[in-house]
């Protein structure tokens, strides 16, 4: 991939869509009662950029916190920041004041654009953060709301002539432990992800309607619901709330054809019966967590659609190993997508033979740059990004997920991948969801512990526990069965939908 020295991703994705590609009159983004064409989105972004520069004193390179549920205004704000040469720090809606304060300090945030629905926590954080100089609120209906101020501004804006490798995004990792890390991404990185996975794997078209659950504060959502549809002249329909019931309703209301969500949601949606057949879905993308083979099969039976699995990471901005419907292989995430290389290596960084499990490392047009964080040295070595995942590669170059390296359980000398135990449990008809982890054991070092959520109508008792243990022994190597098994009402998850296995230890 070659990029000119000067590049602004807003010019490429938004202004050129209107001025050079003739998409000005096409629908671009809708949601919350708004329907904007590419031209209307550009005009709104221009007006907001004028507010940022003229009223809020934004200078290129300043960091702008973006906060709100998925909504067209959030998209306009993101492009306004790009246009003005700022750095967008989009936050997850569920974050509280304390976490926002940490992020404001780490990322040295000076400005914020915030949806009224999530104002309270931001105000609380702002009160404790003097460096946050200027805050504007939208959708509060006030005379000085961001929209009202924007309306008073010119609809034109001259985009800042940023360098291709100026930072434009600071994305915080969804880190399950430790202090959050901010990853820096450049204007050219935004264009690079648009040129790779959507073109080679997703292969959507301009009449597609993109929908999904990930917040725009998660790069999975930013790419899938904003950047990718806009790079091909398609549209997206944004949902403020996107748990399975709202997703289903949204798909029906907007006629969504491309869906981005996490494996657990596919599992729940697949169980909705007939209605899921009647949606206009054409392509369905699963990422964020390993996709169990059972869920892939369930979705195919429920919809006739083969899921597109893809592993991405905040550190790499988006997906780097994936497979399209035609080449999908049950149990494998896919192959390194064109532009990226991937390898499975041992502790010393030596490539392992086919079939052996080791550390996944990847290299490509995007990569990890932590902001002021010593953990950079453990994520990137010799130009390779070590994602923290245990994978094996088969003879055809397909990568098979085993576990996060910290979710490998070592019991009596055996290596057991927690997700493999979960997959086995999930094939039992009584199991709705489950999680496995290793807990300390005097005799074996560690034993496998499973936490199980049962489907309605099943009895959580000792007989059920034994039945589940026997089921695992009959499905995979018997030494992998969960010697400890507890029933729970729900599993601990991150805001990006990932199972927090370390929290299962204390349940
Ligand atoms: C895990 C997967 C198996 C894996 C993300 C798509 O998830 C995203 O970014 P995060 O920084 O987490 C990265 C880690 O999540 N993972 C993600 N997808 C898969 N494991 N199969 C998968 N398909 O441990 C990885 O290292 O939150 C996903 C696009 C953008 C993203 N940021």
């Amino acid at each position: 991939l070659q990029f000119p020295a000067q590049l602004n991703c807003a010019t490429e994705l938004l202004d050129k869509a209107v001025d050079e590609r003739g998409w000005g009159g096409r629908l671009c983004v809708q949601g919350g009662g708004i329907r904007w064409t590419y031209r209307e989105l550009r005009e709104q972004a221009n007006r907001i950029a004028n507010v940022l520069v003229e009223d809020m004193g934004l200078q290129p390179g300043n960091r702008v916190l973006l906060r709100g549920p998925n909504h067209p205004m959030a998209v306009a704000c993101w492009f306004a920041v790009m246009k003005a040469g700022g750095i967008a720090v989009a936050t997850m809606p569920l974050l509280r004041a304390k976490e926002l304060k940490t992020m404001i300090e780490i990322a040295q945030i000076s400005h914020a654009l915030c949806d009224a629905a999530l104002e309270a926590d931001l105000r609380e954080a702002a009160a404790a953060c003097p460096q946050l100089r200027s805050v504007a609120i939208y959708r509060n209906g006030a005379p000085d709301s961001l929209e009202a101020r924007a309306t008073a501004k010119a609809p034109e804006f001259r985009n800042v002539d940023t360098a291709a490798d100026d930072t434009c995004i600071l994305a915080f990792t969804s880190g399950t432990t430790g202090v959050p890390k901010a990853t820096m991404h450049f204007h050219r990185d935004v264009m690079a992800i648009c040129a790779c996975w959507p073109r080679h794997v997703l292969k959507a078209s301009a009449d597609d309607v993109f929908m999904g659950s990930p917040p725009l504060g998660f790069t999975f959502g930013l790419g899938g619901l904003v950047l990718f549809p806009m790079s091909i002249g398609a549209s997206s329909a944004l949902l403020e709330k996107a748990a399975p019931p709202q997703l289903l309703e949204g798909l029906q209301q907007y006629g969504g054809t491309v869906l981005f969500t996490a494996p657990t949601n596919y599992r729940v949606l697949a169980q909705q019966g007939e209605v899921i057949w009647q949606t206009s879905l054409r392509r369905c993308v699963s990422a964020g967590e390993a996709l169990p083979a059972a869920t892939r099969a369930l979705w195919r039976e429920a919809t006739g659609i083969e899921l597109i699995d893809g592993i991405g990471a905040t550190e790499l901005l988006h997906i780097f190993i994936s497979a399209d419907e035609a080449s999908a292989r049950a149990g494998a995430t896919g192959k390194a997508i064109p532009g990226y290389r991937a390898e499975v290596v041992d502790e010393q960084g030596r490539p392992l033979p086919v079939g052996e499990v080791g550390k996944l490392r990847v290299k490509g047009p995007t990569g990890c740059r932590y902001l002021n964080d010593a953990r950079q040295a453990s994520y990137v070595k010799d130009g390779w990004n070590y994602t923290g995942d245990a994978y094996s590669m088969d003879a055809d170059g397909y990568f098979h997920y085993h576990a996060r390296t910290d979710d490998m359980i070592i019991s009596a000398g055996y290596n057991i991948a927690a997700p493999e135990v979960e997959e086995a449990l999930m094939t039992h008809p009584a199991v709705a969801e489950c999680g496995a982890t290793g807990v300390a054991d005097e005799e074996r070092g560690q034993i496998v512990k499973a936490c199980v959520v049962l489907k309605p109508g099943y009895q959580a008792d000792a007989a059920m526990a034994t039945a589940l243990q026997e089921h695992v022994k009959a499905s995979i190597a018997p030494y992998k069965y969960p010697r400890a098994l507890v029933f729970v009402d729900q599993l601990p998850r991150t805001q990006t939908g990932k199972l927090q296995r370390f929290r299962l230890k204390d349940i």
Side-chain angles (χ1 to χ4, degrees):
L1 288 172
Q2 292 284 311
F3 295 108
Q6 300 297 117
L7 181 83
N8 184 316
C9 67
T11 309
E12 299 303 312
L13 286 169
L14 185 50
D15 294 276
K16 287 190 181 176
V18 179
D19 298 333
E20 294 181 10
R21 295 178 204 122
W23 299 340
R26 294 188 67 99
L27 177 63
C28 179
V29 59
Q30 56 179 329
I34 287 175
R35 278 174 67 90
W36 282 335
T37 61
Y38 280 80
R39 184 174 293 111
E40 287 165 327
L41 174 66
R42 173 170 61 171
E43 187 177 311
Q44 189 67 9
N46 284 348
R47 291 177 186 276
I48 296 171
N50 282 318
V51 174
L52 278 169
V53 173
E54 293 169 17
D55 297 1
M56 299 172 72
L58 186 90
Q59 302 274 347
N62 285 169
R63 289 97 195 264
V64 186
L65 186 145
L66 298 176
R67 181 157 184 73
N70 287 0
H71 185 275
M73 269 301 281
V75 179
C77 289
W78 192 86
F79 277 104
V81 174
M82 296 300 119
K83 283 172 162 278
I87 300 175
V89 191
T91 58
M92 300 291 287
L94 288 176
L95 294 179
R96 306 305 307 271
K98 187 172 170 285
E99 296 153 310
L100 292 173
K101 179 172 177 280
T102 308
M103 293 171 68
I104 292 168
E105 284 163 357
I106 293 177
Q108 307 249 317
I109 290 168
S110 52
H111 297 73
L113 304 178
C114 177
D115 190 303
L118 299 174
E119 185 181 351
D121 282 291
L122 178 67
R123 289 285 182 206
E124 198 183 324
C129 294
Q131 66 269 60
L132 180 54
R133 297 199 308 266
S134 186
V135 176
I137 307 294
Y138 57 90
R139 293 211 298 154
N140 60 352
D144 66 343
S145 72
L146 179 59
E147 305 93 312
R149 289 158 75 177
T151 310
K153 296 290 180 193
E156 296 89 30
F157 184 85
R158 180 191 281 269
N159 292 356
V160 170
D161 187 21
T162 48
D165 51 8
D166 276 345
T167 298
C168 65
I169 292 174
L170 273 175
F172 276 85
T173 58
S174 59
T176 45
T177 47
V179 183
K181 291 162 281 193
T183 61
M184 298 187 272
H185 297 287
F186 300 161
H187 285 273
R188 70 169 150 88
D189 298 326
V190 171
M191 300 319 298
I193 62 166
C194 292
C196 291
W197 180 82
R199 169 150 3 133
H200 296 291
V201 181
L202 183 66
K203 290 171 280 197
S205 55
D207 58 359
D208 272 309
V209 179
F210 287 56
M211 296 192 68
S213 63
L216 304 186
F218 181 23
T219 62
F220 181 36
L222 178 70
L225 303 177
V226 179
L227 308 176
F228 300 163
M230 288 182 61
S231 69
I232 58 167
S235 75
S236 73
L238 300 175
L239 303 173
E240 288 185 42
K241 291 205 168 70
Q246 293 99 342
L247 260 183
L248 185 55
E249 209 186 289
L251 286 170
Q252 292 162 335
Q253 181 186 347
Y254 295 105
T257 60
V258 180
L259 177 61
F260 288 79
T261 191
T264 52
N265 286 340
Y266 283 111
R267 209 175 153 77
V268 176
L269 286 173
Q271 285 152 6
Q272 303 302 304
E274 282 288 288
V275 281
I276 201 78
W277 266 112
Q278 283 137 27
T279 62
S280 349
L281 281 174
R282 290 207 283 249
R283 289 187 171 76
C284 301
V285 181
S286 170
E289 258 197 324
L291 172 66
T295 305
R296 177 184 280 287
L298 210 59
W299 191 251
R300 194 191 306 118
E301 283 154 29
T303 63
I305 298 172
E306 191 68 50
L307 279 172
I308 300 175
D309 189 8
I311 176 173
T314 308
E315 285 84 350
L316 283 120
L317 197 52
H318 220 272
I319 292 172
F320 46 86
I321 292 175
S322 185
D324 64 14
E325 297 99 318
S327 53
R329 199 172 267 195
T333 312
K335 299 184 187 187
I337 64 172
Y340 288 82
R341 286 164 64 198
E343 291 182 349
V344 176
V345 299
D346 66 12
E347 291 297 327
Q348 280 73 46
R350 288 175 304 222
L352 284 167
V354 159
E356 280 189 36
V357 181
K359 289 171 187 268
L360 178 70
R361 67 179 191 185
V362 297
K363 203 180 250 198
T366 58
C368 175
R369 309 171 198 105
Y370 287 132
L371 174 72
N372 298 334
D373 199 304
R375 287 168 285 185
Q376 175 75 14
S378 49
Y379 202 96
V380 182
K381 290 174 216 152
D382 291 330
W384 288 95
N385 294 271
Y386 286 74
T387 66
D389 296 292
Y391 261 88
S392 62
M393 192 187 78
D394 67 22
D396 302 321
Y398 280 83
F399 287 83
H400 297 250
Y401 178 84
H402 290 263
R404 290 286 305 166
T405 36
D406 30 343
D407 290 327
M408 290 296 297
I409 303 160
I410 304 176
S411 183
Y414 289 112
N415 280 319
I416 304 167
E420 194 187 354
V421 181
E422 292 160 7
E423 280 224 31
L425 277 167
M426 230 119 77
T427 59
H428 190 282
V431 177
E433 269 201 302
C434 63
T437 189
V439 289
D441 179 75
E442 243 171 58
E443 201 184 315
R444 301 175 171 266
Q446 279 192 311
I447 56 166
V448 178
K449 172 185 176 182
C451 295
V452 176
V453 181
L454 290 177
K455 287 188 192 154
Y458 288 94
Q459 197 65 35
D461 54 19
M464 177 60 82
T466 310
L468 294 178
Q469 287 168 322
E470 292 306 319
H471 178 77
V472 175
K473 283 191 202 168
S475 330
I476 52 177
Y479 65 82
K480 296 176 181 171
Y481 89 95
R483 284 165 195 271
L485 195 147
V486 294
F487 295 104
V488 295
D489 292 333
Q490 63 173 48
L491 298 172
R493 291 191 175 275
T494 64
Q495 293 162 54
T496 52
K498 288 189 220 299
L499 179 61
Q500 294 173 299
R501 294 197 178 75
F502 71 97
R503 287 181 56 195
L504 302 175
K505 295 185 196 294
D506 305 319
I507 292 179

